[in-house]
């Protein structure tokens, strides 16, 4: 297939681009800068210049492709307003991509997040939360899945809280950044709350499998570690950085504080059984050993 990818230079997207190219697919990818265009060309992809706000470029990319994988997100957690703008930008981008694919039968795969369910690991059958600072992203994902009734082979690949590679990425990566700045490897609450995780290279395989064979309107979980206690994550980070590991106020983490404090394990049993996905790269706690002081 020729696949149009947004976010193809990111931690997850660069792994997805490599996975697609390594399995006989061609890749067109959105590039918002010269350096991103160069990185994509070096990887073997063809760049289409534009950003998520450039709906014309998105439509051109989708029209030229046999399928679309959407991963780009501004990831601006600096303020609630900035986050809301990023969520709105992504929603408009997904709507444009979806419109281009109506009645085509082609796949449109968007990234999503694993839901949280009190007292148990969430599954692929659980609905996405629409509350909280990134709840608006769930409306965009649901709109994509609803395109199944309009001739789009739409799917969502739900990511756990940390998608990692070489010790970097996701919520654990944010904990690491905050620890470097503050001199303390902190965690909110008692640290017993669990976050699920996956290695980016394993997540990339799942995106390819979903592209190739997922039915329309389906959701999948890219989860290797069902849930690591946040205190355990912070302990590895603190040891690697030579910093003390301590409980800190939830407010330390800004708009993400309430999410950081929530227990949110997640299962991928259905995904593994149905699509034959078998992650084999290092777990989060193993990968965090790659953090350098
Ligand atoms: N990493 C995780 O643990 C995790 C967990 C759950 C969900 N996710 C979601 O998975 C997706 C990919 O995450 P990631 O960790 O790979 O992100 P990342 O490393 O920060 O990469 C973001 C990608 O999006 C592109 N991008 C950002 N804003 C853009 C814009 N306005 N227009 C066009 N491109 C834009 C970036 O392009 P440039 O290279 O040009 O900057 C880059 O390719 C995101 O939606 C993220 O929310 C990630």
């Amino acid at each position: 297939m020729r696949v149009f990818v947004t976010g193809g230079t990111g931690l997850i997207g660069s792994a997805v681009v490599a996975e697609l190219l390594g399995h006989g697919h061609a890749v067109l990818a959105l590039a918002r800068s010269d350096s991103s265009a160069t990185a994509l060309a070096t990887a073997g992809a063809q760049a289409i210049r534009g950003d998520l706000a450039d709906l014309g470029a998105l439509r051109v990319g989708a029209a030229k492709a046999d399928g679309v994988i959407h991963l780009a997100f501004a990831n601006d957690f600096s303020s609630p307003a900035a986050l809301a703008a990023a969520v709105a930008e992504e929603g408009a981008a997904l709507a444009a991509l979806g419109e281009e694919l109506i009645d085509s039968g082609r796949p449109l795969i968007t990234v999503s997040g694993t839901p949280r369910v009190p007292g148990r690991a969430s599954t692929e059958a659980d609905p996405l939360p629409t509350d909280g600072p990134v709840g608006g992203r769930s409306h965009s994902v649901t709109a994509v899945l609803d395109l199944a009734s309009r001739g789009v082979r739409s799917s969502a690949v739900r990511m756990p809280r940390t998608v990692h590679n070489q010790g970097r990425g996701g919520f654990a990566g944010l904990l690491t950044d905050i620890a470097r700045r503050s001199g303390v490897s902190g965690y909110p609450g008692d640290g017993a709350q669990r976050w699920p995780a996956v290695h980016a290279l394993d997540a990339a395989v799942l995106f390819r499998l979903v592209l190739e064979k997922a039915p329309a309107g389906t959701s999948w979980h890219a989860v290797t570690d069902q849930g690591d206690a946040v205190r355990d994550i912070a302990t590895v980070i603190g040891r690697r950085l030579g910093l003390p590991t301590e409980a800190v106020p939830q407010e330390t983490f800004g708009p993400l504080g309430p999410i950081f404090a929530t227990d949110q394990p997640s299962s991928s049993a259905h995904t593994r059984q149905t699509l034959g996905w078998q992650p084999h790269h290092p777990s989060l706690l193993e990968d965090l050993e790659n953090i350098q002081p």
Side-chain angles (χ1 to χ4, degrees):
M1 274 188 230
R2 176 193 267 207
V3 188
F4 179 49
V5 177
T6 73
T9 49
L11 179 127
I12 303 171
S14 56
V16 169
V17 168
E19 173 71 18
L20 294 173
L21 292 170
H23 286 78
H25 299 291
V27 176
L28 294 171
L30 189 69
R32 61 172 170 166
S33 67
D34 289 345
S35 62
S36 290
T38 301
L40 289 163
T42 303
Q46 184 188 335
I48 291 185
R49 288 303 295 263
D51 62 19
L52 273 186
D54 185 348
L55 303 185
L58 297 176
R59 289 196 180 98
V60 167
K64 286 184 171 175
D66 304 306
V68 175
I69 296 178
H70 165 71
L71 284 154
F73 184 63
N75 272 327
D76 187 347
F77 296 104
S78 60
S79 70
L83 192 50
V87 170
E89 178 183 65
E90 181 185 46
L94 274 170
L97 291 168
E99 278 166 20
E100 199 61 42
L101 298 182
I102 283 171
D103 290 334
S104 71
R106 286 179 275 165
L108 169 58
I109 299 150
T110 190
V111 71
S112 180
T114 55
R116 54 189 182 279
V117 179
R120 66 167 171 83
S122 68
T123 74
E124 294 84 344
D126 288 313
L128 294 175
T130 52
D131 60 331
V134 289
R137 295 189 79 183
S138 300
H139 291 298
S140 303
V141 173
T142 302
V144 167
L145 294 175
D146 286 348
L147 291 173
S149 65
R150 302 184 68 194
V152 181
R153 187 158 65 81
S154 54
S155 296
V157 180
R158 295 170 169 183
M159 294 295 126
R161 297 303 81 86
T162 302
V163 185
H164 54 94
N165 196 349
Q166 291 298 310
R168 293 191 296 272
F171 278 13
L174 294 176
L175 286 187
T176 307
D177 293 344
I178 293 167
R180 286 187 197 278
R181 285 200 301 270
S182 68
V184 171
S185 180
Y187 55 84
D190 66 3
Q193 71 274 27
R194 294 158 295 172
W195 295 347
V198 70
H199 197 287
L201 298 178
D202 286 319
V205 175
L206 181 57
F207 273 98
R208 177 179 59 79
L209 293 174
V210 170
L211 174 84
E212 291 172 348
K213 57 187 183 182
T218 50
S219 296
W220 306 96
H221 278 195
V223 173
T224 301
D225 310 349
Q226 182 161 307
D228 299 306
V230 177
R231 191 178 47 234
D232 294 343
I233 296 170
T235 298
V236 180
I237 293 168
R239 178 168 49 70
R240 292 298 306 169
L241 296 180
L243 299 173
T245 301
E246 294 171 8
V248 297
Q250 191 173 297
E251 294 69 34
T252 308
F253 306 104
L256 284 171
I259 303 177
F260 273 23
T262 303
D263 187 44
Q264 44 197 308
S266 188
S267 158
S268 58
H270 170 72
T271 297
R272 294 180 196 226
Q273 283 159 14
T274 309
L275 296 179
W277 178 62
Q278 290 184 320
H280 63 273
H281 286 93
S283 70
L284 174 61
L285 295 181
E286 290 167 346
D287 199 11
L288 290 176
E289 297 294 346
N290 287 307
I291 293 174
Q292 300 302 320

